Amino acid sequence: MRRLLLLVALVYALFLWGLGTLNGRLLALAVPLIVWLGAALLRGSQKPKLRISRTLSANRAPKGTPVAVKLSVVNEGPLLEELLVEDTLPRGIELVAGESRILASLGPGETVDLEYTVAGKQRGIFVFRGVEMTTGDYLGIFRRRTTLPAPAQLAVAPETLKLHRLAIRPLRTRATAGPIPARRGGSGVDFFGIREYQPGDPLRWVNWRVSARHHRTLFTNEFEQERIADVGLILDARRRTDIRLNGHTLFERAVRATASLAETFLGDGNRVGLLVYGGFLDWTFPGYGRVQRERILQALAKAETGDSLVFDSLDYIPTRFFPAKSQLVLISALCPDDPPMLSRLRARGYQLMVISPDPISFEARLLKPGKAVDLAVRIARLERALLLRQLRRAGIQVVDWQVDRPFDQAIHTSLSRTAHWFRAIGVAP
Amino acid sequence: MNETPPLTAKALPASIVLAAGALALGYGLNGSWSIVIVIAVPGVLWLLGQWRGWGWTASVGLVCFVVIAAVGLGMRLWDGWMLAGVVGALSAWDLDHFARRLRGPGKVEGAHALERRHLQRLLIVDGAGLLLGAVALRARIELGFGAALLLGVLATLGLTRAIGFMRRQSD
């Protein structure tokens, strides 16, 4: 536009100068400039007719994983002497390879492809919107800028860790065979009890020692059935439980832990649901398999901390969302007023596990060491130890996760220890 | 960042030198050597700007050369040199912008074909500009004051309408 204005201003100036001095030769000097404007106008005034399509190699990718983007622009109108295609990347997405901008000449019916690779810098749902098209003549006098919609969405999911099988023992399991002890006798691996022989029992199950002590009665061993279970994951997204320091957030660790848990539980065949409890309630209804995994990862990709007067405490966790007596896993840094609600959940028959990323060690690591900080850390640790003890006394399984340790190591150390302890005293963990 | 295509990289300084040379020759043949030095300043500045990547020197150079050519015509110098200077300056101004478009970030598909077509179009427009300019310089039409005034008003109105139309078409 500035180029056009400059040319027109020069033509004007020469005209006025020529007319003012009655010098016709000055008017003649403006002729090459007018020829230029005419030549540009001849080509530059056509409205472009373009069709655009966008394809992504994946709609969901973990952070840092390259995703190929392909834009195809088809010219459905006359020749476009210069076409500049510029794709604007959403914030949080970075260009890894290729170019998101192309300059080309496009004849009628011709196609130009723009291919590049992006990667997500952070977790989230990123929406690609319009593509900016600038058409112009060869002389660069006319520029027509239009934005064509080419929507696409890329979900940058949290990274997941491969966890070994997690030892959970909900009070109620589902009918399908799986890896979770069902508290019922039948066919399985672990010894469950002895009962009187019934026709149809395999002979190798007969407990000959016990049978020998009784007259004309046979006894058979029973094994604990293993089935799948309902698992409800609750991710605490209340802003007051999050800690943000120097670009690090505790919530990100919690999200990654939730993703790893979801992947593990779904991999074992369980029915898993997710509730993100923060500024509002974001529910992913319980389901099985890969589709459910996608749903949960999508929900976690867009999970953010939030403030809400209603959901400031855990009192409004909608328990009807989770099947009765199922396994609940709460991933939360915990607040001092949380234990009563968690005890109530336990009392309602839910088997509750709390995975608590330790906010004190997370924050202390990022603070400058000093006397005051050390003292504050000691006091905070005492308060947290009391809080966790209160939960354990209520029969809640607690994993105190020091976030400088990888989640898989932390959870396995904690769970294996509690499992033995629970077995020794004969109480379900 | 892309590189300037080879033909454009050669044609751009050549156009600047051609424009400055034509104007300097016109003034030099008339013995106005002080103005020849004045012509050299925007020429050198333009070349320097092109080498250092300064965007503003092309437009400043074009304006300077058009003004110098208009002054030359006012001084009754041979109009062929002045016309050649203006056409050369226009070509350099265009090539400078074209090189900038190609050098910008992003991929350029078929850069050589784009350059070839651009230079062809530029040559045609330059040729037409030179030819029509020369015809206009040779044409002699006697106009009275009233006719000149009417022509001036028409030109002003026409150009205003043209600007409005172009602004609507562009951006």
Side-chain angles (χ1 to χ4, degrees):
Chain A
M1 195 65 215
R2 276 187 299 175
R3 284 165 59 81
L4 171 69
L5 284 178
L6 179 71
L7 273 189
V8 172
L10 281 174
V11 172
Y12 252 120
L14 286 172
F15 257 80
L16 292 176
W17 195 348
L19 288 171
T21 56
L22 289 177
N23 185 350
R25 299 204 307 165
L26 286 175
L27 300 182
L29 201 62
V31 169
L33 303 174
I34 294 169
V35 169
W36 259 69
L37 283 174
L41 192 64
L42 210 66
R43 279 292 188 184
S45 62
Q46 291 150 339
K47 199 172 180 180
K49 278 176 82 180
L50 296 163
R51 185 162 46 86
I52 188 161
S53 62
R54 185 200 297 273
T55 48
L56 301 184
S57 63
N59 291 325
R60 182 182 64 75
K63 187 177 146 191
T65 305
V67 174
V69 181
K70 186 179 176 186
L71 275 170
S72 288
V73 182
V74 184
N75 181 14
E76 291 180 332
L79 167 75
L80 295 172
E81 295 176 337
E82 273 186 28
L83 170 69
L84 181 67
V85 183
E86 286 174 283
D87 196 11
T88 314
L89 300 184
R91 195 177 289 175
I93 294 281
E94 65 178 346
L95 191 69
V96 177
E99 301 279 2
S100 62
R101 186 183 139 115
I102 190 167
L103 179 71
S105 177
L106 210 59
E110 281 183 0
T111 305
V112 65
D113 291 330
L114 180 59
E115 288 177 64
Y116 58 91
T117 309
V118 294
K121 282 194 287 188
Q122 61 196 61
R123 178 181 58 80
I125 303 264
F126 300 99
V127 179
F128 289 84
R129 296 186 192 281
V131 178
E132 210 161 80
M133 306 279 185
T134 310
T135 50
D137 58 305
Y138 274 125
L139 300 174
I141 302 293
F142 287 100
R143 298 271 132 200
R144 190 191 288 270
R145 192 169 287 180
T146 44
T147 304
L148 292 183
Q153 187 174 288
L154 175 64
V156 177
E159 297 156 80
T160 55
L161 287 167
K162 282 212 164 186
L163 306 177
H164 294 289
R165 189 163 292 170
L166 296 172
I168 54 168
R169 280 178 76 88
L171 291 171
R172 187 178 289 170
T173 51
R174 298 188 72 79
T176 322
I180 294 166
R183 300 166 191 265
R184 281 181 186 194
S187 58
V189 178
D190 290 338
F191 177 74
F192 186 71
I194 295 165
R195 62 164 168 78
E196 208 168 318
Y197 177 83
Q198 287 169 2
D201 283 347
L203 275 180
R204 59 193 170 90
W205 284 9
V206 174
N207 191 324
W208 297 109
R209 285 192 179 193
V210 177
S211 304
R213 290 194 210 116
H214 295 83
H215 181 63
R216 298 178 68 89
T217 315
L218 282 175
F219 291 89
T220 55
N221 290 335
E222 262 193 324
F223 298 92
E224 191 169 16
Q225 288 186 20
E226 289 178 342
R227 294 183 174 178
I228 59 164
D230 280 306
V231 181
L233 300 173
I234 305 167
L235 173 63
D236 186 353
R238 292 174 295 168
R239 191 160 288 153
R240 68 188 182 117
T241 60
D242 187 23
I243 290 172
R244 291 164 183 260
L245 264 179
N246 306 336
H248 298 84
T249 69
L250 192 62
F251 182 66
E252 278 305 314
R253 314 283 178 111
V255 169
R256 264 182 263 162
T258 312
S260 305
L261 288 169
E263 179 127 348
T264 306
F265 286 129
L266 284 168
D268 286 346
N270 298 303
R271 196 167 80 133
V272 181
L274 171 72
L275 171 67
V276 181
Y277 189 90
F280 57 94
L281 298 180
D282 185 11
W283 301 25
T284 307
F285 286 97
Y288 302 95
R290 283 186 190 170
V291 175
Q292 182 68 359
R293 179 175 169 269
E294 285 301 314
R295 282 191 201 127
I296 288 179
L297 287 178
Q298 289 269 356
L300 289 174
K302 64 178 187 217
E304 282 178 0
T305 54
D307 277 326
S308 162
L309 280 175
V310 179
F311 303 123
D312 192 47
S313 70
L314 293 179
D315 291 346
Y316 295 100
I317 288 182
T319 46
R320 289 177 67 187
F321 173 58
F322 304 107
K325 296 181 179 176
S326 63
Q327 174 76 47
L328 297 186
V329 182
L330 170 70
I331 301 95
S332 167
L334 295 171
C335 288
D337 52 344
D338 290 342
M341 175 56 190
L342 298 180
S343 302
R344 281 204 295 277
L345 276 179
R346 183 78 183 91
R348 280 179 198 163
Y350 289 105
Q351 203 63 40
L352 185 59
M353 180 197 286
V354 174
I355 292 169
S356 182
D358 182 11
I360 301 157
S361 60
F362 178 79
E363 194 169 352
R365 207 162 42 92
L366 300 168
L367 291 175
K368 272 188 182 172
K371 258 189 170 180
V373 171
D374 289 347
L375 185 63
V377 168
R378 280 180 63 191
I379 294 168
R381 277 198 199 288
L382 280 171
E383 284 177 346
R384 185 170 161 82
L386 283 172
L387 181 78
L388 298 185
R389 188 183 297 173
Q390 213 178 332
L391 294 178
R392 285 186 181 118
R393 278 186 181 166
I396 297 166
Q397 202 175 356
V398 180
V399 177
D400 184 12
W401 175 28
Q402 308 296 314
V403 288
D404 49 347
R405 289 185 69 194
F407 179 63
D408 50 345
Q409 282 183 25
I411 196 163
H412 281 290
T413 311
S414 303
L415 287 183
S416 58
R417 200 183 298 147
T418 49
H420 288 308
W421 180 79
F422 275 121
R423 273 182 204 164
I425 62 166
V427 181
Chain B
M1 193 72 106
N2 302 300
E3 285 197 355
T4 309
L7 275 175
T8 308
K10 285 174 195 158
L12 173 54
S15 301
I16 298 170
V17 171
L18 186 82
L23 292 175
L25 207 61
Y27 278 94
L29 289 174
N30 197 40
S32 310
W33 294 105
S34 55
I35 300 181
V36 171
I37 296 166
V38 173
I39 294 166
V41 174
V44 170
L45 188 74
W46 197 340
L47 284 171
L48 195 70
Q50 195 245 322
W51 175 53
R52 297 294 300 268
W54 299 335
W56 52 273
T57 50
S59 297
V60 170
L62 175 69
V63 173
C64 287
F65 282 0
V66 170
V67 170
I68 288 165
V71 171
L73 286 181
M75 288 169 66
R76 302 276 163 193
L77 303 182
W78 191 60
D79 46 23
W81 295 122
M82 301 301 119
L83 189 64
V86 167
V87 171
L90 265 173
S91 308
W93 180 65
D94 169 74
L95 287 172
D96 188 277
H97 193 248
F98 178 64
R100 225 171 274 284
R101 291 203 299 273
L102 292 196
R103 270 205 311 266
K107 194 176 149 193
V108 180
E109 193 158 272
H112 289 290
L114 211 63
E115 183 193 32
R116 205 177 53 246
R117 266 182 283 180
H118 183 89
L119 291 178
Q120 278 172 1
R121 180 64 58 92
L122 185 63
L123 278 175
I124 293 168
V125 175
D126 279 352
L130 265 177
L131 189 73
L132 290 175
V135 169
L137 282 169
R138 296 288 161 264
R140 288 283 176 269
I141 302 166
E142 290 290 329
L143 291 175
F145 177 74
L149 192 68
L150 184 70
L151 196 63
V153 170
L154 279 176
T156 311
L157 281 175
L159 275 171
T160 309
R161 287 190 72 95
I163 286 183
F165 174 71
M166 286 169 183
R167 283 184 75 125
R168 280 195 303 276
Q169 291 298 316
S170 193
D171 279 351

